[in-house]
Amino acid sequence: MMADLNLLPILYLLLILGLVVLFVISLVLFVKRIVENNQKRAEHYQNIEKKLDDIIALVKEKSD
């Protein structure tokens, strides 16, 4: 009976620690995903800008 009473707080402590570790891992993965998406979006916008510059150059050549 005494072993059951002493085991319960240890289980609660392990549960809380597990939840904290899970939260930290989730937060790190979330931030990592946001950073990667921002980098991909920036590259995409740079490609669009380059294509627009090429189109503008072609239009200027054609009008000359």
Side-chain angles (χ1 to χ4, degrees), residues 42-52:
E43 290 174 6
H44 180 70
Y45 288 146
Q46 287 176 351
N47 288 339
I48 290 175
E49 187 175 340
K50 184 180 179 299
K51 289 177 184 179
L52 285 173

Side-chain angles (χ1 to χ4, degrees), residues 34-47:
I34 287 177
V35 169
E36 288 175 355
N37 284 342
N38 283 342
Q39 289 174 347
K40 287 179 184 178
R41 189 175 299 132
E43 290 174 6
H44 180 70
Y45 288 146
Q46 287 176 351
N47 288 339

Side-chain angles (χ1 to χ4, degrees), residues 2 13 36-37 40-41 55-56 58:
M2 284 291 238
L13 180 64
E36 288 175 355
N37 284 342
K40 287 179 184 178
R41 189 175 299 132
I55 290 171
I56 290 170
L58 288 173

Side-chain angles (χ1 to χ4, degrees), residues 8-24:
L8 196 58
I10 293 173
L11 290 177
Y12 283 139
L13 180 64
L14 290 175
L15 178 67
I16 297 299
L17 287 175
L19 289 174
V20 168
V21 168
L22 185 63
F23 174 75
V24 169

